Structures are given as structure tokens and as C-alpha cells.
Amino acid sequence: IMALMGDATDNIPGVHGIGEKSAIELIGQFGSLDALYKNLDNVRGEAKRKMLKDNEKMAYLSRELAQLDTDVPIKVDFEELELKEPDREKLLEMFKELEFKSLLKDISPKGDLKSEYELIEDEKRFGELVKNLKGLKSFTFDSETTHEDPMQARLTGISFSWETGRCYYIGMAAGGETSAVDRERKLDTDFVLKELKDIFEDDRIKKTGQNIKYEYIVLFNYGITLRGIEFDTMVASYLLNPSKLNHNLEDISFEYLSHKMTTSIQDLIGKGKSAITMDRVPVEKVCAYCCEDSDVTFRLRNILDKEITKKDFDELFYKVEMPLVEVLATMEINGVSIDREYLSRLSSEMEKKLTGLTGRIFDMAGEEFNINSPKQLSVILFDKLKLPIVKRTKTGVSTDEEVLNKLAFSHPLPKALLEYRELAKLKSTYVDALPGLINPKTGKVHTSFNQTVTQTGRLSSSEPNLQNIPIKTEEGRRIRRAFIPSGENNVLISADYSQIELRIVAHLSGDKELLTAFKEGSDIHAYTASLVFGVDEKDVTGEMRNMAKTVNFGIIYGMSPYGLSQSLKIDVNKAKEFIDAYFERYPDVRSYLEGLIEEARQNGFVATLLGRRRYIPDINNNDMRMRQFAERTAINAPIQGSAADIIKVAMIAIHEALMKKRLKSKMIMQVHDELVFDVPRTEAKEIFRLIKDGMENVIKLKVPVEAHVEMGGNWLDMSPLEEV
């Protein structure tokens, strides 16, 4: 067949005009190539016979090319060619290094931990467990609940482990519960927690957990304040490798134990079902699941603790990251009050504005279309209006924000589209969503502060994401007005670090000019402009200051001349001259930044003031774009990471001061370099001093650290607060 049809891939010519179908028919009819040519007169169709006859030599050459030469001298032990089991240990290491999670699941041993799990079924055995727990120096525990949101979760069980392979599970049921499976094998929730309260609140008994902040909040809602928090495997995994996409127990178990968790939550309750049905799962299954979590967490703790010591992270982990768990849990419990009526009015206003924008967009386009459809928008912009194509993607011509910003210079429609997108996003993400996030029991919104997400060490938040509320646009700022104090006699107090990252650059670089500017309390942007433009500070224009400000902050992010030219809308050569002039005035800053890149090349990572590491694997990449991005990361990570470390230490200090003084004021939000407090007016004076001290004096730099404090009736309308 190959002799007749050929194979272009292998340069086998075949018979011109004979395709696969004809070749199969001919060989099917005659049995072989030789038989075909011996009986050529029996081939139907004169044209086909002629093609075969004219190309006989080519057909036999094609057969020769397609056939395997079996006369090649080769010695083969065919038993050695038999498919064998892979080297699983080598594969595991490789798959873990490359984070091939689905492949890991296929080869990782399942349920291979030698373990003994016990279901505590009666009060007598539970009493023995309580007695054991009271005599321990430390233990690991994990809770099973009915909800992912700890503020809404109800406990259905708790497991404890304090020795490898041994774990104990207490199934719990609220009084009067009748729908639960194995009701008689569960203990009453109130009874269990009453007996465990002293243990959980005993600071001398140290506790370990995976995402222990969740357990803190759940227990708090049952009237228990968890004390003695010592170790969180999720936080430890994050500190050791902040570049990992996630730090859930399944992934950490794969990485450090080469163990595949036996059961997932969905295995227990069924795919697509809510965790609220967990109390309907047979208690033995929940026992095995919850105990495995505690067992694996206990084993991981011993491994991760050694890794933390090996990398000299003890101080950062035990003095910053672990104390921060309680701070964040408390902030989440505190929540923030939302002005629902204001949001309702704002939603109506935005809807009217969106309707008006939609009309304008249709007028400019000359027709109606689906504004949210990239495909339809592409037709309008590039086919109808003939605007230049800026960027292509795998799915077609791009209409993303970057593209629209560039097109806005040549047509008004892209600018209107950008305005529409921003407004629609703010309305759906915040204005319309916030009322639905109000907890019915507390009447507040309880955002989640995420400690193990960003690679720089910064905190992030979700539901709602407070970090993404735009502060530079009028519409974004209006959303802040919806965040209000918890009562008429309270106010919001906001404290924001002043140019903390630039102060860190001054400290780390030791640049004399920069140190002088901050020590003398100069306007750093005007000061920089005066140096770069060679004029007195009093002669610095607003334009000069804005250019200097862009460079001051751009330098922190490794901004290139091209990047600066885009930001300032100036020529690339002019931007390069500006950056060169900047480094001439601040030579030690240049040396410091170049040193960071070299440090990354030598060590594979850079570190913050407190020793937090950011690994830079692409710092020596042959791809110039990848390498340049890695260099920018190497410059930014120690600066932004140090700022993150400082505000974390400040949060811990302020939290401890609030607890010690038993004040009613509450820390409720953290957004980048800003902290927000809900404060009774009677405590404002004391809180002002407490915040200033906590933020400005926790870490000593070579330059003064300043925090600007404001007070107001909502998060937007605030006035500077000096000594009250």
C-alpha cells in the first residue's frame, strides 16, 4: 500500500495519481505489489493502468524505501526490551520539582502511611482523651465543618495527633440534630467544647495546624480563644517556597512525604455538593479523612521545622509569620461595617452612567453590538473603523486594556470602552457584590486576609478583594465611602506609611543624598527633581516633580527607559537621559540595585530586611525577556518584601498593645501600606499614639519612618489626625 500511495512525510514518492483509497483497493484485490504488476491488464480503468505502468520503477523503489531492512547486523537481548516498571523514586523527585501534579497523582503511593486512627464514640473514652491532651506539651489538630467560610461554619468533628501514625477523631452533633448519619456515635458539640475549652485556651500547650487561622475563627465563634498557636504547615510551606502556586495539604504532602492523600472532601460528600452535607457522611469515613489531615500535618511539621532552621528562617517564621496568624484571624472576625443604602444609591447612579456610556459607544460605532464580546468589538474596531491592530492572541485580535489604551490616541471609542469596562467592573465586583457579602449574624463584611498567596510577602485579601479597589479614579474612591464605623460613636482611623519603599531603598543603599533628603524631611520628589534638573527646590515645577516621582517609584520596579517613556509619554532617549541623570545624583542606589541582580545570579535568590527569600530561577535565562523580567524582580522583591515585613511587624505590635490595654478599638483592614481601625471617639487620642508608635518604631532604619494618620466617618472622607 505504501509503495502505491507513498508517504510525503518520509519522502516516499509512491505512484503519482494513486491515493490511499485506490492503493488499499488494489492490494486488497491482487494481494501484493508483485501480483498487481503481473496482472496489470486486469486493473479496471485505462488511466489507472497507465499510471501504474509508467511508474512501475517508482513503485518498487517506494516499496524498498518503506520496508525495514532486516539484514542489519545487531545483537539484541529481546528480554531486555520488555517494558518494566519505572524508577518511581526518580520520577517522584522529577515530577515534584517540575510540579507535574496530575502525573504525581498517578504514581504517588496512595494511603501508604502506617497509621492507626480511632473514633471516639463514648464519653468515657472521650474523658481519657481529654486527660491525655491536658498532659501534652503540644499537639496537632484539624476540624471538620459545614462551610468553607469560617464565620459561617458549624463544627462536625475534631481530630488530634501527637505521635506519628496515631490520631483520634471526635464526631460532634449539635443538640437535637436528627438528620445526621450515625447520630448515636457522635458526642454533643456543647459537651465536647466545654471539656476542650481549657485545653485550647492554654498557652502552655502548643498547637499545630494546616491553615490554623481557620480553626481559630471557627472556635472563636463557639466562645473559645485559641492560644498557644505555634506552627502552621501551610505558612511554613509558603515561607520556604513562596513561588509555589498553592500550599494546600495535598500538595505539601506530595512534596515532602511523597504521599497521596487517601480521600478528598469531594470523595466524601460527592462532586458538586456542598460541605454542608459533611454531617450526613458515615462517621467512619469522616474519621479517616479528618485523622489523615492531622496525621499528615503532624508529620509535615517535623520536616518543615527542620527546613525552616536550615534556611535560617526561625526568627521570621516564629516571631513574625506565626504571631500574625492570630492578628489576621482577629481582623477577619472584627469585620467592617458597610453602608448598604449608600451602595444602593451608588449602584443606581452607575447603572444610569453605564446606560449613557452604552449609547455613546453605539453612536461612535455607528451600530449596536455586544460591548462585552471581544469578537464583536474586534469587528467594530478593526474591520469597520479600520483602527491599527496592536496585538494578536491565539484566539484572534486582542482588545485588552493595553490595546485600548494605545488606540485611545487615534479614536474616542477605545477611551469610552475603557471607561465602560472600569465602571462595569467596579459595579459588579464591589457596589453590587458587597451587600451580598454582609454576614447576617454580624451585619458586617468579613474579608479573608491571605498570608500565603503573594510571592513578595505582602498580604492579599478576598471576598471582597480590598487590595484592588482603585484609589486613583473618582469612581474607585467613591466605593471607599461605603466602608463606615460600626456605630454612631465610632470613627474610622487610617494610618498609611509615607514612602516606605523609598525609605527602605535609602536604608539598604546607604546613598548619602537620599539619606539626607529623608533625614531633613524634604519633599523627596521635589528634592529628586531639583538634583536631576539642576534647579533649587523652590524652582521645581509641578511637571518636574511628577517626572521625578515617576522615576523614584519606577526605579523600585526596575523600570527601563522604554517603560519610563510610556509612563511619561516622552521619547525613549529622553527617558534614558532622565534615568542616567537620576543615577548620577544617586550613585549608591545604582550600585545597590546592580548588586541585587548580581546577588540573585550568585545565590539564586534575594532577601528582605528580615531574611525573607524570593527565588529568581530565570536570572540566568538565555531568553532576554525572561532574564530582564527576572532582573526587575530581583530589584523589586527585597524592597517590596521589606515593606511587607515592616507592616506585618507593626500589625503584631499594635494588636498586642490593643489586647494588653483592653481597648475597644479594633484593627479591621490592611491594604498594602495602610491600616484601618474602627475606634470609639473616646479612645481616639490613645489610639493615635498607639498606632504612631506601632508603625514608626517597630523597626529602626537609617532614615525616619513616618505614618500619616487620618480620621473620618467613612474610609474616603478623612482628615489628617495630629496629636488629639
Side-chain angles (χ1 to χ4, degrees):
I1 292 171
M2 192 71 73
L4 296 175
M5 65 176 277
D7 184 357
T9 306
D10 285 338
N11 289 321
I12 299 173
V15 174
H16 182 70
I18 301 293
E20 182 178 5
K21 185 179 178 183
S22 295
I24 291 171
E25 286 177 356
L26 289 167
I27 298 302
Q29 181 182 350
F30 294 99
S32 69
L33 190 68
D34 292 334
L36 168 64
Y37 274 99
K38 284 179 182 177
N39 298 280
L40 207 55
D41 292 341
N42 295 329
V43 173
R44 289 188 297 272
E46 186 178 340
K48 191 177 287 185
R49 283 197 303 273
K50 187 175 189 309
M51 281 188 288
L52 289 166
K53 188 175 181 180
D54 292 347
N55 290 281
E56 183 175 354
K57 287 184 179 179
M58 195 61 74
Y60 277 96
L61 172 62
S62 296
R63 186 176 71 172
E64 186 181 347
L65 290 171
Q67 283 179 330
L68 293 175
D69 186 346
T70 59
D71 293 331
V72 176
I74 184 169
K75 293 180 181 179
V76 176
D77 181 351
F78 280 91
E79 289 185 5
E80 285 295 316
L81 301 181
E82 185 180 347
L83 185 64
K84 296 179 177 63
E85 279 291 303
D87 185 330
R88 291 183 176 274
E89 286 190 13
K90 285 185 179 179
L91 275 180
L92 275 171
E93 289 306 312
M94 182 185 293
F95 290 171
K96 282 192 287 186
E97 181 184 350
L98 300 174
E99 295 189 25
F100 289 171
K101 294 176 187 175
S102 59
L103 294 175
L104 264 170
K105 290 177 182 177
D106 292 335
I107 69 162
S108 183
K110 187 170 183 174
D112 62 336
L113 298 178
K114 292 182 180 179
S115 305
E116 187 177 338
Y117 302 154
E118 180 183 345
L119 172 63
I120 305 296
E121 301 185 62
D122 56 63
E123 292 186 9
K124 180 184 176 185
R125 186 70 188 96
F126 174 64
E128 293 169 355
L129 174 66
V130 169
K131 188 176 179 181
N132 279 333
L133 289 171
K134 286 181 176 178
L136 295 173
K137 290 183 178 179
S138 66
F139 61 75
T140 296
F141 79 104
D142 179 67
S143 69
E144 287 310 318
T145 63
T146 59
H147 208 289
E148 290 183 359
D149 179 357
M151 289 299 297
Q152 300 183 55
R154 180 170 57 82
L155 275 167
T156 60
I158 302 178
S159 62
F160 295 92
S161 180
W162 59 86
E163 56 183 316
T164 303
R166 291 282 299 170
C167 194
Y168 307 86
Y169 177 74
I170 309 155
M172 295 156 61
E177 181 184 343
T178 57
S179 61
V181 177
D182 301 324
R183 171 67 183 88
E184 68 281 359
R185 304 180 70 184
K186 296 181 180 180
L187 298 176
D188 182 77
T189 301
D190 293 338
F191 167 72
V192 169
L193 294 180
K194 183 181 178 183
E195 297 297 312
L196 293 175
K197 182 177 171 68
D198 288 345
I199 296 168
F200 280 130
E201 293 189 341
D202 191 335
D203 190 63
R204 294 167 300 177
I205 304 174
K206 304 304 178 185
K207 286 86 176 178
T208 294
Q210 163 77 8
N211 189 17
I212 204 166
K213 173 163 68 78
Y214 181 92
E215 326 293 348
Y216 184 103
I217 297 170
V218 171
L219 290 172
F220 185 88
N221 289 328
Y222 279 93
I224 296 171
T225 302
L226 184 63
R227 304 200 187 284
I229 296 174
E230 185 179 44
F231 203 95
D232 189 319
T233 48
M234 183 173 78
V235 176
S237 170
Y238 165 74
L239 188 58
L240 290 167
N241 185 7
S243 298
K244 266 174 64 73
L245 291 178
N246 63 63
H247 303 271
N248 60 41
L249 193 58
E250 185 179 13
D251 276 21
I252 308 173
S253 178
F254 272 147
E255 183 175 0
Y256 291 98
L257 298 175
S258 299
H259 169 68
K260 181 178 180 181
M261 301 296 284
T262 306
T263 311
S264 72
I265 187 78
Q266 294 305 324
D267 291 333
L268 286 180
I269 64 176
K271 288 186 178 179
K273 292 187 178 178
S274 166
I276 204 164
T277 58
M278 179 66 89
D279 58 358
R280 300 176 184 273
V281 178
V283 71
E284 288 97 342
K285 288 188 176 182
V286 184
C287 171
Y289 170 72
C290 190
C291 280
E292 185 182 27
D293 282 359
S294 282
D295 183 15
V296 167
T297 301
F298 177 81
R299 295 172 193 251
L300 283 169
R301 184 249 158 88
N302 296 327
I303 295 170
L304 296 173
D305 189 32
K306 290 175 184 174
E307 288 295 311
I308 283 169
T309 300
K310 188 190 297 183
K311 293 189 175 180
D312 201 23
F313 287 159
D314 288 293
E315 190 82 8
L316 180 58
F317 181 74
Y318 288 106
K319 296 293 178 65
V320 179
E321 294 294 349
M322 288 315 302
L324 188 67
V325 171
E326 181 181 328
V327 179
L328 298 180
T330 304
M331 288 170 67
E332 289 185 25
I333 291 166
N334 290 340
V336 59
S337 297
I338 299 293
D339 189 336
R340 196 193 293 259
E341 291 182 6
Y342 168 75
L343 285 175
S344 178
R345 294 194 304 272
L346 187 57
S347 179
S348 298
E349 284 180 37
M350 285 184 166
E351 187 61 42
K352 289 178 183 176
K353 195 166 183 178
L354 283 170
T355 301
L357 269 170
T358 301
R360 279 175 52 207
I361 288 168
F362 290 163
D363 287 343
M364 284 185 245
E367 63 178 272
E368 293 188 8
F369 65 100
N370 183 353
I371 297 174
N372 299 312
S373 167
K375 189 173 182 180
Q376 292 186 34
L377 180 57
S378 176
V379 171
I380 296 293
L381 293 174
F382 307 113
D383 295 345
K384 185 173 182 179
L385 299 179
K386 305 297 182 185
L387 294 177
I389 293 173
V390 177
K391 185 169 66 175
R392 292 183 184 274
T393 66
K394 291 179 181 178
T395 56
V397 181
S398 174
T399 58
D400 65 14
E401 185 178 347
E402 179 189 358
V403 169
L404 293 181
N405 272 313
K406 289 184 177 180
L407 294 177
F409 289 102
S410 52
H411 198 280
L413 178 57
K415 185 178 180 182
L417 288 166
L418 285 167
E419 193 177 346
Y420 176 91
R421 283 184 183 178
E422 184 202 0
L423 193 61
K425 185 177 180 181
L426 288 175
K427 184 176 183 294
S428 62
T429 306
Y430 296 105
V431 178
D432 293 342
L434 279 171
L437 294 174
I438 296 174
N439 185 299
K441 289 184 179 179
T442 66
K444 296 180 179 181
V445 168
H446 302 268
T447 186
S448 294
F449 290 101
N450 308 308
Q451 195 175 353
T452 61
V453 173
T454 71
Q455 295 186 42
T456 59
R458 278 186 181 272
L459 297 172
S460 69
S461 69
S462 52
E463 295 187 79
N465 181 353
L466 301 176
Q467 315 283 5
N468 277 6
I469 300 176
I471 190 63
K472 293 182 180 179
T473 65
E474 175 61 28
E475 298 295 349
R477 287 194 293 272
R478 290 178 73 192
I479 291 171
R480 286 194 165 209
R481 192 172 279 131
F483 292 78
I484 58 175
S486 57
E488 292 181 2
N489 295 320
N490 282 32
V491 292
L492 292 186
I493 290 182
S494 166
D496 193 6
Y497 274 122
S498 169
Q499 300 161 341
I500 187 65
E501 292 181 343
L502 287 174
R503 293 172 192 271
I504 289 167
V505 171
H507 173 82
L508 293 173
S509 69
D511 188 274
K512 293 177 183 177
E513 288 284 5
L514 213 49
L515 290 173
T516 299
F518 280 119
K519 285 177 180 177
E520 292 179 354
S522 300
D523 175 339
I524 189 63
H525 304 311
Y527 186 88
T528 298
S530 71
L531 291 178
V532 171
F533 289 104
V535 298
D536 289 338
E537 270 190 73
K538 60 182 174 58
D539 296 324
V540 170
T541 65
E543 185 181 2
M544 289 177 179
R545 186 184 182 279
N546 285 335
M547 290 179 75
K549 182 178 180 180
T550 302
V551 176
N552 271 332
F553 288 117
I555 291 300
I556 296 169
Y557 294 92
M559 184 180 280
S560 66
Y562 175 77
L564 181 61
S565 72
Q566 293 295 298
S567 295
L568 295 178
K569 307 290 188 297
I570 60 175
D571 181 72
V572 176
N573 292 328
K574 187 73 177 174
K576 185 179 184 305
E577 288 177 13
F578 202 97
I579 290 176
D580 289 343
Y582 178 93
F583 282 130
E584 282 178 22
R585 303 308 187 274
Y586 296 130
D588 291 328
V589 173
R590 183 200 288 270
S591 299
Y592 166 66
L593 299 181
E594 289 174 348
L596 286 175
I597 294 172
E598 187 57 34
E599 180 185 334
R601 288 202 177 103
Q602 294 295 323
N603 302 329
F605 64 85
V606 288
T608 67
L609 274 169
L610 298 188
R612 183 186 307 279
R613 292 182 186 178
R614 174 77 182 272
Y615 292 93
I616 319 285
D618 289 319
I619 193 68
N620 295 310
N621 199 305
N622 290 329
D623 185 318
M624 185 177 72
R625 287 179 301 175
M626 297 283 283
R627 188 174 64 253
Q628 287 178 341
F629 179 78
E631 289 173 355
R632 289 195 295 272
T633 302
I635 288 171
N636 175 245
I639 301 165
Q640 194 177 107
S642 293
D645 289 345
I646 289 172
I647 199 164
K648 284 180 177 179
V649 175
M651 290 167 71
I652 294 165
I654 292 169
H655 172 80
E656 289 176 352
L658 288 172
M659 296 300 105
K660 184 178 180 180
K661 292 176 178 289
R662 298 177 182 248
L663 295 170
K664 293 180 180 178
S665 297
K666 297 176 179 179
M667 185 159 37
I668 58 172
M669 288 189 285
Q670 189 269 3
V671 180
H672 302 309
D673 300 325
E674 179 183 9
L675 297 177
V676 183
F677 301 82
D678 190 340
V679 180
R681 291 182 185 275
T682 54
E683 291 182 0
K685 183 177 181 179
E686 190 170 3
I687 286 296
F688 172 82
R689 288 196 294 266
L690 188 149
I691 293 171
K692 289 281 280 186
D693 181 61
M695 293 184 73
E696 295 181 347
N697 298 316
V698 286
I699 291 180
K700 294 295 180 185
L701 301 181
K702 295 173 185 175
V703 295
V705 175
E706 292 182 7
H708 291 162
V709 184
E710 295 183 320
M711 183 173 75
N714 61 66
W715 195 16
L716 176 64
D717 301 318
M718 289 190 159
S719 302
L721 181 64
E722 303 301 333
E723 188 73 40
V724 182

